[in-house]
Amino acid sequence: MDLEEAEEFKERCSQCAAVSWGLTDEGKYYCTSCHNVTERSQEVINTDLIPNTQIKTLNRGLKKKNNSEKGWDWYVCEGFQNILCQQAEALKNLGIGPELKNDVLHNFWKRYLQKSKQAYCKNPVYTTGRKPTVLEDNLSHSDWASEPELLSDVSCPPFLESGAESQSDIHARKPFPISKASQSETSVCSGSLDGVEYSQRKEKGIVKMTVPQTLAFCYLSLLWQREAITLSDLLRFVEEDHIPYINAFQHFPEQMKLYGRDRGIFGIESWPDYEDIYKKTIEVGTFLDLPRFPDITEDCYLHPNILCMKYLMEVNLPDEMHNLTCHVVKMTGMGEVDFLTFDPIAKMAKTVKYDVQAVAIIVVVLKLLFLLDDNLEWSLSNLAEKHNEKNKKDKPWFDFRKWYQIMKKAFDEKKQKWEEARAKYLWKSEKPLYYSFVDKPVAYKKREMVVNLQKQFSTLVDSTATAGKKSPSSFQFNWTEEDTDRTCFHGHSLQGVLKEKGQSLLTKNSLYWLSTQKFCRCYCTHVTTYEESNYSLSYQFILNLFSFLLRIKTSLLHEEVSLVEKKLFEKKYSVTKKKSRSKKARRH
């Protein structure tokens, strides 16, 4: 830039009214005070080559933008792909191996684009009446260029080749065509090219991509890799902002403008629900026509024996209960590989709620030991309390009353902090959404006012700096022997609730009330049944404790407990029936 050559330009700047000009590399005048670039260019006279001819330099940009500064031309599919990239990187930061993103999630997403006919097929469906052209040299229009791993043309697993085009056709075509649409073709009701059509699209047999569906993709990838993250852990990490979900669009590139219909597609105003994501996981797995997932064996984290051990430690229950949970798992058949392994191509495609199932098994064991009728558990606690006072040097017996008091205090404190954190959560994003491009200045002005007010109120309420985001942990409750304020029950004995009979141990509790009145009429009518509104306080507390632990509804856990009970008592009923038949055969 040459300031001396710009001295001949004497007009005032339209923004700051200063007369101080310089020249850009393209030959345009810019104000040195406010850096405003004008449309005026320096006139250059070259008498050697072209006499008496004025030559103006042209500003050649690397990326073509719309005249109305609406950013790049992009599709809704690119937005969801960007969110998947963010979530995959977040899982990688949580300790998940990079192969989950580069191999598993990569191929699942390619498979979805192929099955939904958006890419990797001969006749991709983009938008009605538009034939976009592929730009061979302009792939930087989207964030795919910054995330080459997700859609790089690596070798796909065998199940991706069925029904797909040949590998040569895939490599010959770009991952997804990025069009250079004219201004008339660009949607005036959305920042994306197909936002309006995508929101109105209803195709039978096609799973429509949504933001909750991205969590289903992530959980499918974790399940395929048999990673040590359950669905409840995944949703809790989302709730703690360790995984992008709420306002994930604010991390889009600046050139990907969102407004209008994009607001309803990418804007999320509620936390993900366990049952909803679980159903979407099965729906996506069935739609992708995925093969049988890797087997869930006894050494896998998702096996009920390992998960039961984890939750027993978290809720501060004795270690000896793990033998009982393993026995229930063996009797009910819930630890078998065929029962645990997800098979989307089966006739009745369903996957196990691994975390809910493990917790339900623990609840059933507690009912087997203490009955939980607000009577037997307290009488057993009196015996344990007297024994512990007389035999302080021996291994203490498990005191249910003492455990209840300690856990209720810890649970109430944790739940209060959780409710306060939810109440303080800022749903508004730093990058505001607006309905039309005309509303952009108003939306940004309102957002600026909100930020200023928040700063002022935070200064008045609390002058101390807010603590940073805590590192994620798979445990919400921690119990150690060195903790003097709270008793750790991990090493306590169950002798107060068990009795020896020969070489086996039996529970002192000879009764059992079932959670399902219908089942109880069929198999054991002698047992007292209870209506849901008349459940004991102990049972209600345990349901609430585990439901909060998994962030699920109490009714969902209650249904899973009933399922475990049904399998357990069906097994017991069949065994007693066989014994009675054998006795009759011996008599005859």
Side-chain angles (χ1 to χ4, degrees):
M1 292 175 286
D2 193 352
L3 297 177
E4 295 180 357
E5 296 180 1
E7 290 180 354
E8 60 184 16
F9 190 59
K10 301 297 183 181
E11 294 185 7
R12 292 185 177 274
C13 178
S14 60
Q15 290 189 3
C16 63
V19 184
S20 178
W21 300 98
L23 284 175
T24 64
D25 294 337
E26 292 81 11
K28 288 190 175 184
Y29 293 103
Y30 79 96
C31 180
T32 59
S33 299
C34 63
H35 301 284
N36 177 33
V37 181
T38 65
E39 297 296 331
R40 296 286 299 273
S41 302
Q42 183 190 23
E43 295 181 357
V44 181
I45 300 176
N46 192 337
T47 56
D48 296 333
L49 299 177
I50 309 176
N52 300 326
T53 304
Q54 295 181 352
I55 300 177
K56 296 183 179 180
T57 59
L58 301 177
N59 183 14
R60 292 177 294 179
L62 295 178
K63 300 176 182 178
K64 180 181 178 181
K65 294 186 178 181
N66 296 328
N67 297 330
S68 58
E69 296 183 358
K70 293 185 179 179
W72 294 336
D73 296 334
W74 61 283
Y75 289 93
V76 172
C77 178
E78 293 181 88
F80 288 119
Q81 181 173 269
N82 188 290
I83 295 176
L84 284 173
C85 287
Q86 298 175 39
Q87 293 173 346
E89 284 296 326
L91 290 173
K92 184 178 178 181
N93 296 332
L94 292 175
I96 304 301
E99 59 273 5
L100 180 133
K101 173 186 175 183
N102 298 338
D103 300 332
V104 184
L105 184 57
H106 163 96
N107 289 322
F108 286 173
W109 180 241
K110 288 175 65 177
R111 181 67 168 169
Y112 173 79
L113 294 177
Q114 182 191 55
K115 295 286 288 184
S116 58
K117 299 180 181 180
Q118 298 183 64
Y120 301 99
C121 58
K122 294 182 179 179
N123 298 313
V125 178
Y126 306 106
T127 50
T128 306
R130 184 183 297 124
K131 295 181 179 180
T133 57
V134 177
L135 300 180
E136 299 290 340
D137 57 345
N138 203 7
L139 285 178
S140 59
H141 268 275
S142 72
D143 64 318
W144 296 342
S146 61
E147 296 289 347
E149 300 88 359
L150 190 58
L151 280 181
S152 59
D153 290 320
V154 297
S155 60
C156 301
F159 67 85
L160 288 181
E161 296 178 1
S162 61
E165 52 188 324
S166 62
Q167 290 294 326
S168 59
D169 295 336
I170 292 179
H171 286 280
R173 183 179 290 107
K174 294 296 179 182
F176 194 80
I178 303 168
S179 67
K180 189 183 291 185
S182 62
Q183 180 65 26
S184 60
E185 289 177 334
T186 304
S187 174
V188 295
C189 298
S190 65
S192 58
L193 293 176
D194 59 340
V196 177
E197 298 175 7
Y198 187 87
S199 59
Q200 298 175 351
R201 190 178 302 160
K202 294 181 180 179
E203 299 182 32
K204 189 176 181 180
I206 300 295
V207 175
K208 193 174 181 179
M209 194 66 185
T210 59
V211 178
Q213 295 280 12
T214 60
L215 295 181
F217 271 89
C218 291
Y219 182 61
L220 277 176
S221 304
L222 292 169
L223 189 58
W224 183 274
Q225 289 292 100
R226 300 189 300 177
E227 294 288 348
I229 295 182
T230 60
L231 180 56
S232 60
D233 291 333
L234 179 67
L235 301 187
R236 182 167 57 86
F237 292 152
V238 168
E239 182 181 314
E240 296 173 356
D241 280 341
H242 297 297
I243 298 177
Y245 180 76
I246 304 294
N247 300 327
F249 60 85
Q250 66 184 358
H251 302 293
F252 285 5
E254 183 64 28
Q255 292 79 5
M256 289 179 65
K257 307 296 182 181
L258 286 87
Y259 59 89
R261 293 299 181 91
D262 300 330
R263 183 189 183 101
I265 298 174
F266 296 101
I268 294 296
E269 298 180 353
S270 61
W271 298 104
D273 179 69
Y274 185 100
E275 190 70 10
D276 180 55
I277 303 300
Y278 170 77
K279 292 179 180 178
K280 291 183 184 301
T281 300
I282 301 177
E283 183 183 22
V284 171
T286 306
F287 173 72
L288 297 182
D289 198 19
L290 298 177
R292 178 185 169 100
F293 275 48
D295 293 342
I296 305 297
T297 55
E298 291 185 2
D299 59 344
C300 179
Y301 177 81
L302 298 177
H303 195 274
N305 289 343
I306 298 180
L307 282 178
C308 284
M309 184 188 301
K310 186 253 186 185
Y311 291 122
L312 285 173
M313 294 174 60
E314 188 157 9
V315 296
N316 198 13
L317 287 171
D319 300 333
E320 293 183 6
M321 284 186 61
H322 184 246
N323 295 329
L324 299 176
T325 57
C326 292
H327 187 63
V328 171
V329 169
K330 185 177 180 180
M331 287 190 62
T332 56
M334 290 185 168
E336 298 178 0
V337 174
D338 293 336
F339 178 79
L340 296 174
T341 304
F342 180 37
D343 191 1
I345 60 178
K347 291 184 179 179
M348 295 293 292
K350 63 178 181 179
T351 183
V352 178
K353 303 182 184 76
Y354 301 98
D355 39 11
V356 184
Q357 174 188 266
V359 166
I361 292 172
I362 295 175
V363 175
V364 170
V365 170
L366 286 172
K367 291 178 68 176
L368 286 170
L369 293 174
F370 300 99
L371 190 61
L372 302 181
D373 63 344
D374 283 344
N375 185 15
L376 181 62
E377 63 267 30
W378 307 127
S379 60
L380 293 175
S381 298
N382 295 333
L383 296 177
E385 186 177 359
K386 293 179 181 179
H387 175 271
N388 293 336
E389 290 178 356
K390 295 179 180 180
N391 305 277
K392 294 184 178 181
K393 294 183 179 180
D394 297 339
K395 191 175 183 179
W397 287 4
F398 177 68
D399 188 345
F400 185 88
R401 179 187 291 108
K402 191 174 181 180
W403 172 84
Y404 177 89
Q405 294 171 352
I406 292 176
M407 285 305 303
K408 190 174 189 310
K409 182 179 178 181
F411 169 63
D412 292 340
E413 292 176 355
K414 184 72 70 172
K415 188 175 181 181
Q416 183 179 0
K417 292 180 180 178
W418 173 74
E419 291 176 349
E420 291 177 356
R422 281 209 163 187
K424 294 178 181 178
Y425 188 82
L426 299 178
W427 291 94
K428 295 294 183 181
S429 64
E430 298 178 0
K431 183 179 180 181
L433 285 176
Y434 41 91
Y435 288 102
S436 65
F437 194 74
V438 181
D439 300 333
K440 177 182 177 180
V442 179
Y444 274 85
K445 186 65 177 179
K446 288 183 178 179
R447 180 58 188 164
E448 184 179 357
M449 293 174 61
V450 170
V451 171
N452 292 334
L453 288 174
Q454 288 174 350
K455 289 181 179 180
Q456 294 177 13
F457 279 107
S458 62
T459 304
L460 293 173
V461 174
D462 189 6
S463 59
T464 59
T466 56
K469 186 165 56 175
K470 296 182 180 179
S471 58
S473 174
S474 58
F475 286 88
Q476 301 180 63
F477 296 96
N478 294 314
W479 310 92
T480 58
E481 296 290 347
E482 293 78 12
D483 195 349
T484 57
D485 298 334
R486 303 180 300 180
T487 305
C488 180
F489 295 93
H490 292 162
H492 287 212
S493 174
L494 293 177
Q495 292 184 9
V497 293
L498 295 175
K499 59 182 179 179
E500 294 183 2
K501 186 177 181 181
Q503 296 181 350
S504 60
L505 291 175
L506 300 178
T507 61
K508 291 184 178 180
N509 168 31
S510 58
L511 300 177
Y512 190 95
W513 61 272
L514 293 174
S515 301
T516 51
Q517 188 176 3
K518 180 180 179 181
F519 175 72
C520 190
R521 288 175 180 172
C522 298
Y523 292 99
C524 44
T525 55
H526 62 281
V527 178
T528 305
T529 59
Y530 295 83
E531 298 292 337
E532 185 174 355
S533 59
N534 296 327
Y535 284 157
S536 63
L537 296 178
S538 301
Y539 184 63
Q540 290 181 11
F541 168 74
I542 290 175
L543 287 182
N544 292 331
L545 173 63
F546 282 113
S547 298
F548 172 78
L549 200 67
L550 302 182
R551 304 292 195 272
I552 59 175
K553 297 178 181 178
T554 308
S555 58
L556 178 60
L557 177 57
H558 179 70
E559 292 175 1
E560 196 69 24
V561 170
S562 302
L563 178 62
V564 177
E565 289 175 342
K566 182 178 180 181
K567 288 182 174 293
L568 182 63
F569 281 89
E570 281 180 349
K571 180 70 175 179
K572 183 179 179 181
Y573 180 74
S574 62
V575 171
T576 54
K577 199 171 183 180
K578 288 180 181 179
K579 288 182 178 180
S580 61
R581 288 178 180 176
S582 61
K583 288 182 179 179
K584 290 181 180 180
R586 290 174 184 175
R587 291 174 183 175
H588 291 292

